[in-house]
Amino acid sequence: MLDDQDRISEGESDQPVKRISLARQTVRRFFRNRGATLGLVILLLLIATAIFAPYLAPYDPFEVRPNRLEPPSSEHLLGTDRLGRDLLSMLIHGSRISLQVGLVAVGIAMIIGTMLGLLAGYLGGWVDNVIMRFMDILLAFPGLLLALVIIAVLGTGLFNVMIAIGIASIPTYTRLVRGDTLSVKENEYAVAAHAQGASALRIMIRHILPNVVAPIIVMATLGVAGAILASAGLSFIGLGPSPPSAEWGAILAQSRVYIRRAWWLLAFPGMAITITVLSINMVGDGLRDALDPQLKE
Amino acid sequence: MSVFDSRRLSLLIAVVFALSLAVVACAPEEAVDDDPIDEPVEEEPQRGGRLVIGYAEEPNTLDAHLTAAASAYFVMSQISDPMVDRDPETADFIPALAEDWDISDDGLEITLYLRDDAEFHSGEPFTAEALKATWDRALDPETGTVHTDGVLGPMKELTAVDDYTLLIEMERPFGPLLHGFTMAGYTHAIDPVALEEHGEDYGRNPSSTGPYRFDDWVSGEYITLVRNEDYSWPPEYYENKGAPYPDEVEIRYITEDAPRLAALEAGELDIARVPPAEVDMFMDHPDFEIYSYMTEGVTMSVWFNQDREPLDDVLVRRALNLAIEKDPIIAAAEEGHAIEAHGPLPPNMWGYWEGVEDISYQYDPEEAGKLLDEAGWVLPEDEEYREKDGETLKLSLYIQPTDAWIATSEMLQAQYRDIGVKVEIESFEWGTLMEYLSEGRHDMNLMGYGYGDPDWLYHIFHSGEAGVGVNWAFIQDPEMDELVEAQRYTVDPDERMEYAAQAQELAVDQAYWAPIYIRKNYIAVHERVQDFDINYRGTWLLHDVWLSD
């Protein structure tokens, strides 16, 4: 690593040196934050769980057995549900759904939101006006309510839940990116690129996007947590994937009638949601602090 | 109401109506203590107090002609009286506001002789003219009444012969008519003064002849009723011949089970339904008596859309019947608080044919497999699901996302997988579900109903109801049409019973749908509530109720 740095610092421009050391600083700052590190570890474990779900789950999550509503035991570590299905296996498989929803929904919101924000901020004028007034309309509805409306139009189902949450969170990205674009496009390098005759598209992608990407990453990370919560909420009120589903919110919804009888059916899915959301939030917070240019060493 | 497509509306209602009755129309369970209180000490009833009833759903309106909701039916029953009642023990028709009635031999003319001492809450006397006005309103298509077809039937003309005699002329004989008259919530007389005074707002200010007067309604919170001091015409089977004992009745609306039960345990509610998952906890509770009764209907069944392959094949339908093991489904969906259903009607309904118990399908996955083989759906080696001509045996199952339906659908999916049939569950909100079922998008669907009369067979099996009514199995069978029509337009009870029996036999033989279970319902009643009872169909008998300190 040191060699690397030496070699680069001998180069003609000192720009790359700065960039690398900045990245390294960022990483160092991130890992100095214990909460963020812990969050990242948990998150990586969760991702591993999702990827290797079929190998980790002790049972087929949807296999119906006669021993229903059994409390946690050595045989069923987290107990069984009302159909006699192994709760642990369901939660493990459910992690796939939750992470998938989080990533896809945020992916949709981030890509569309960023594009719209760049266009609005860079082009200005009527484009800006049209896009931002449309975003204002979307923002006028609370996020979950908007998602409900979209699901009412598209129908229920896992994929529609992803789309609904995704669309509902577009405006936040658009506003964020537009704001940053407005300030970044006044910088000398952007003006210079324009003076050299670079196309608007090229300036937006090559010069502006890289400079607004840090806050997007932070927001997207936090957005994954929000999307997981929202999908659990939508599943809880019956708008999520069709049964049988191991979606954590759906498990919670079906278990709520047993709240006085089978605590494990509510405690563990609830904990799964809490831990996941908390760990992602800690990572997001850590990233925000680490990427903040004001916080130099 | 005229803004709605009337045909669509009548369809929606037919079902809501049917399901709504599940709550009001029920029957007792033999084994369970029918009258658990059986006073050790005979106490003199005392007046006063407020009876608080916990209820999950709030009514949309209390205008009897504009709603079919069970929650509305319950409130309206307390403020009104039926024309005809049923004996709580024998289920025979007995006089209520109609002291007597005549039915002509051809079934086309019915004469009701009304009591002359009843009054509306406004003080207006209850007369044949007022009853005629009420039913004319129900029959007027402008009103958009949702249950007329099933309750009042094809009435042609109503004539008030004198103040207390009403002559009804029918287009066709209508078997279920007397039953319709017992349904106070739908066929009670509306107070003409209140209707005139409140007009459009009558639904929030209802008035009739019953033991309680409507008092107040705070949306999302409660409805209160107060004692009708002038009341002196309760059904003859009550001890109490005058006004009710409690000063007030409050029906408090708490949607979710958990908070409603918490309120019950805290002593804030006197009477509330208890969901199956919680029954055992209340059974041993010292402060409560538990009453139970059977739904007068089949609470859970799978319907096969016979418009679609391969469900048009009777062999496949029989196989799908044989593959169902009902016990585990009852355990999962109702905590065991249900009995197996054998045919389209429940044993406690008048018109039930016991023969279904001998010919119904018993769990036999091997036989089911053989039938599917015979139908050409074979299991290729190393495959999980059967195939025919390269096509996998895959069926959609439409449900609504309620707990019992989800549990049942998941159990069915597992049981059908065992015979090599792949099931894809699709869940929709109630309104959407009904729309899709009417369009016939589904292969199979879950359905439950409650109804007080075998005329239900007409609604679910008649070809004319396919696509517009509740014949969501799209059954088009001329033989069945003939039987259910005969049942409907025959007035002689024995003949009706015979036609209904034949229809039930045909339905089981042709495996039109698979009945699964009939639910037991439970209500917890606080010990301070005295002389509470339920009748053979689960209707709460509140008129003798009084509150001890």
Side-chain angles (χ1 to χ4, degrees):
Chain A
M1 289 293 261
L2 265 173
D3 291 351
D4 221 27
Q5 200 177 24
D6 289 346
R7 187 178 58 79
I8 290 167
S9 61
E10 284 162 18
E12 297 160 2
S13 159
D14 60 352
Q15 194 83 357
V17 177
K18 226 181 158 188
R19 206 187 314 163
I20 279 183
S21 69
L22 192 68
R24 190 168 280 179
Q25 267 181 40
T26 306
V27 172
R28 203 177 297 148
R29 265 207 301 267
F30 181 87
F31 283 110
R32 203 172 292 153
N33 182 335
R34 287 212 194 111
T37 315
L38 180 65
L40 187 66
V41 172
I42 297 175
L43 186 60
L44 290 175
L45 280 175
L46 273 168
I47 293 171
T49 306
I51 293 172
F52 300 107
Y55 308 101
L56 288 173
Y59 298 93
D60 174 345
F62 298 125
E63 197 195 323
V64 171
R65 271 176 230 86
N67 47 346
R68 51 194 301 271
L69 295 177
E70 264 187 21
S73 64
S74 57
E75 200 182 337
H76 296 283
L77 287 178
L78 302 185
T80 61
D81 79 347
R82 63 171 171 179
L83 301 189
R85 299 175 296 199
D86 182 59
L87 185 60
L88 177 62
S89 306
M90 289 179 81
L91 290 182
I92 289 175
H93 278 263
S95 67
R96 291 185 146 186
I97 305 178
S98 290
L99 290 176
Q100 207 181 330
V101 171
L103 294 175
V104 174
V106 165
I108 293 172
M110 188 174 70
I111 291 168
I112 300 179
T114 305
M115 283 189 330
L116 291 176
L118 278 175
L119 287 172
Y122 186 77
L123 297 177
W126 67 268
V127 178
D128 183 27
N129 240 318
V130 170
I131 292 178
M132 292 322 289
R133 288 306 76 75
F134 185 61
M135 290 303 132
D136 286 345
I137 294 173
L138 288 185
L139 275 174
F141 300 97
L144 202 59
L145 194 66
L146 187 60
L148 277 176
V149 172
I150 296 168
I151 287 177
V153 174
L154 298 177
T156 57
L158 188 61
F159 190 62
N160 291 345
V161 166
M162 297 181 198
I163 294 180
I165 298 173
I167 293 178
S169 20
I170 288 176
T172 41
Y173 293 90
T174 307
R175 278 172 51 146
L176 178 81
V177 172
R178 173 180 175 269
D180 282 4
T181 306
L182 283 178
S183 75
V184 169
K185 81 172 178 183
E186 301 301 331
N187 286 351
E188 287 83 353
Y189 56 84
V191 178
H194 184 63
Q196 283 176 348
S199 71
L201 187 68
R202 185 182 165 85
I203 298 175
M204 276 191 276
I205 290 175
R206 292 295 299 270
H207 301 283
I208 296 180
L209 185 59
N211 288 289
V212 299
V213 85
I216 298 178
I217 290 174
V218 173
M219 177 154 286
T221 313
L222 296 172
V224 170
I228 290 176
L229 264 188
S231 106
L234 290 171
S235 294
F236 186 82
I237 55 175
L239 298 176
S242 279
S245 167
E247 214 282 337
W248 294 340
I251 298 178
L252 266 184
Q254 290 179 42
S255 306
R256 73 187 191 283
V257 290
Y258 297 102
I259 190 165
R260 291 141 64 98
R261 248 180 82 180
W263 57 270
W264 58 94
L265 281 179
L266 286 112
F268 294 122
M271 275 162 63
I273 296 174
T274 311
I275 292 173
T276 308
V277 170
L278 199 63
S279 69
I280 297 175
N281 274 337
M282 289 194 300
V283 172
D285 279 348
L287 273 177
R288 186 179 56 209
D289 292 346
L291 287 168
D292 190 340
Q294 246 88 64
L295 289 175
K296 288 248 168 66
E297 276 171 270
Chain B
M1 294 303 280
S2 54
V3 289
F4 293 108
D5 172 345
S6 67
R7 198 150 197 200
R8 164 58 52 76
L9 189 69
S10 66
L11 149 76
L12 297 191
I13 309 321
V15 186
V16 180
F17 162 57
L19 288 172
S20 70
L21 292 186
V23 181
V24 291
C26 304
E29 183 196 354
E30 279 161 39
V32 169
D33 28 15
D34 204 17
D35 187 3
I37 301 179
D38 260 333
E39 304 311 74
V41 231
E42 198 60 43
E43 281 181 84
E44 197 58 26
Q46 61 194 56
R47 276 167 75 98
R50 163 186 286 221
L51 180 70
V52 186
I53 295 166
Y55 223 90
E57 310 87 18
E58 189 173 349
N60 45 353
T61 170
L62 293 175
D63 184 333
H65 298 158
L66 298 182
T67 180
S71 52
Y73 188 99
F74 174 74
V75 179
M76 293 187 296
S77 305
Q78 310 312 319
I79 59 170
S80 67
D81 295 296
M83 297 307 129
V84 175
D85 212 330
R86 282 184 191 260
D87 185 288
E89 308 292 328
T90 63
D92 289 338
F93 292 111
I94 55 171
L97 282 187
E99 288 178 316
D100 198 7
W101 54 88
D102 279 334
I103 301 174
S104 65
D105 289 342
D106 59 6
L108 291 174
E109 284 188 8
I110 294 103
T111 315
L112 294 182
Y113 303 100
L114 308 175
R115 1 181 3 136
D116 56 8
D117 58 349
E119 271 179 10
F120 288 107
H121 296 156
S122 64
E124 187 80 4
F126 165 71
T127 60
E129 197 56 52
L131 186 56
K132 170 181 155 58
T134 298
W135 287 351
D136 278 342
R137 181 173 181 258
L139 293 165
D140 186 350
E142 280 279 296
T143 315
T145 302
V146 294
H147 39 68
T148 303
D149 177 56
V151 176
L152 293 178
M155 283 187 181
K156 188 165 67 181
E157 177 101 45
L158 299 168
T159 318
V161 179
D162 60 40
D163 273 0
Y164 303 106
T165 310
L166 184 71
L167 173 69
I168 304 160
E169 288 167 85
M170 307 292 293
E171 303 265 3
R172 308 168 79 167
F174 186 58
L177 189 61
L178 280 182
H179 175 72
F181 291 161
T182 66
M183 296 205 248
Y186 293 145
T187 53
H188 65 257
I190 290 178
D191 189 335
V193 178
L195 189 59
E196 175 77 33
E197 186 185 332
H198 296 290
E200 295 263 298
D201 287 334
Y202 172 78
R204 302 282 296 194
N205 301 277
S207 175
S208 182
T209 57
Y212 289 96
R213 296 165 187 271
F214 173 80
D215 179 44
D216 192 17
W217 179 355
V218 176
S219 294
E221 304 266 331
Y222 59 80
I223 287 177
T224 51
L225 313 174
V226 295
R227 172 172 52 216
N228 176 6
E229 293 287 358
D230 302 326
Y231 191 74
S232 64
W233 46 90
E236 59 192 33
Y237 47 81
Y238 283 118
E239 298 275 321
N240 178 12
K241 302 295 177 199
Y245 299 116
D247 295 332
E248 287 184 313
V249 170
E250 175 184 337
I251 301 121
R252 196 175 295 167
Y253 298 102
I254 309 176
T255 313
E256 282 283 317
D257 287 339
R260 191 172 60 253
L261 296 174
L264 186 66
E265 272 193 311
E268 291 169 30
L269 304 178
D270 295 313
I271 307 176
R273 286 165 63 88
V274 178
E278 301 281 350
V279 170
D280 295 341
M281 297 190 107
F282 276 90
M283 278 290 188
D284 306 325
H285 202 295
D287 294 347
F288 296 95
E289 293 289 349
I290 295 282
Y291 289 78
S292 101
Y293 55 94
M294 203 72 76
T295 299
E296 200 177 13
V298 176
T299 323
M300 190 64 73
S301 50
V302 202
W303 296 17
F304 306 125
N305 182 352
Q306 277 138 70
D307 240 8
R308 294 167 76 110
E309 283 181 15
L311 295 170
D312 54 350
D313 186 341
V314 67
L315 292 175
V316 174
R317 297 200 302 269
R318 283 182 183 147
L320 293 177
N321 263 281
L322 288 166
I324 299 176
E325 193 182 4
K326 294 170 186 171
D327 268 349
I329 298 181
I330 291 172
E334 302 287 347
E335 295 295 311
H337 298 294
I339 60 164
E340 286 188 20
H342 300 286
L345 300 183
N348 52 20
M349 186 194 283
W350 180 87
Y352 173 71
W353 178 59
E354 284 177 7
V356 289
E357 286 157 36
D358 303 322
I359 61 169
S360 75
Y361 301 89
Q362 303 300 320
Y363 176 56
D364 189 347
E366 262 176 55
E367 181 63 25
K370 278 186 211 151
L371 288 180
L372 287 175
D373 286 340
E374 200 182 320
W377 294 95
V378 290
L379 198 59
E381 265 187 44
D382 303 328
E383 288 285 336
E384 200 175 353
Y385 298 112
R386 289 170 185 272
E387 287 178 11
K388 181 180 182 178
D389 306 331
E391 219 183 303
T392 306
L393 185 45
K394 186 177 79 179
L395 301 170
S396 63
L397 175 63
Y398 279 34
I399 66 164
Q400 62 166 346
T402 59
D403 296 320
W405 289 42
I406 292 174
T408 303
S409 63
E410 291 176 344
M411 290 299 296
L412 274 179
Q413 189 177 48
Q415 292 180 359
Y416 282 168
R417 186 170 58 188
D418 290 344
I419 59 160
V421 177
K422 185 178 173 127
V423 173
E424 282 178 352
I425 302 167
E426 295 190 47
S427 152
F428 306 96
E429 284 306 309
W430 185 237
T432 315
L433 177 69
M434 282 197 287
E435 195 178 316
Y436 288 175
L437 293 182
S438 304
E439 289 169 12
R441 292 194 189 192
H442 59 295
D443 291 320
M444 306 186 289
N445 67 283
L446 292 185
M447 195 47 66
Y449 78 92
Y451 208 86
D453 189 276
D455 191 42
W456 178 246
L457 295 170
Y458 179 89
H459 294 283
I460 51 173
F461 291 148
H462 194 275
S463 60
E465 298 286 308
V468 293
V470 294
N471 179 0
W472 288 314
F474 289 83
I475 296 158
Q476 315 265 352
D477 179 345
E479 194 185 343
M480 181 58 98
D481 282 359
E482 214 171 286
L483 289 172
V484 294
E485 277 175 30
Q487 161 286 129
R488 170 169 255 218
Y489 300 120
T490 305
V491 184
D492 181 68
D494 294 336
E495 260 181 77
R496 274 196 79 199
M497 188 100 101
E498 178 55 34
Y499 290 128
Q502 288 176 31
Q504 289 168 69
E505 182 173 11
L506 182 64
V508 174
D509 177 62
Q510 288 298 309
Y512 282 143
W513 41 290
I516 301 181
Y517 66 75
I518 299 159
R519 186 173 60 206
K520 292 178 201 164
N521 303 281
Y522 296 87
I523 18 180
V525 178
H526 196 274
E527 57 171 358
R528 72 174 158 263
V529 178
Q530 309 295 325
D531 292 346
F532 173 87
D533 209 348
I534 49 177
N535 76 358
Y536 80 104
R537 49 213 306 239
T539 309
W540 302 2
L541 303 178
L542 290 175
H543 200 62
D544 283 335
V545 164
W546 56 283
L547 300 166
S548 65
D549 303 318

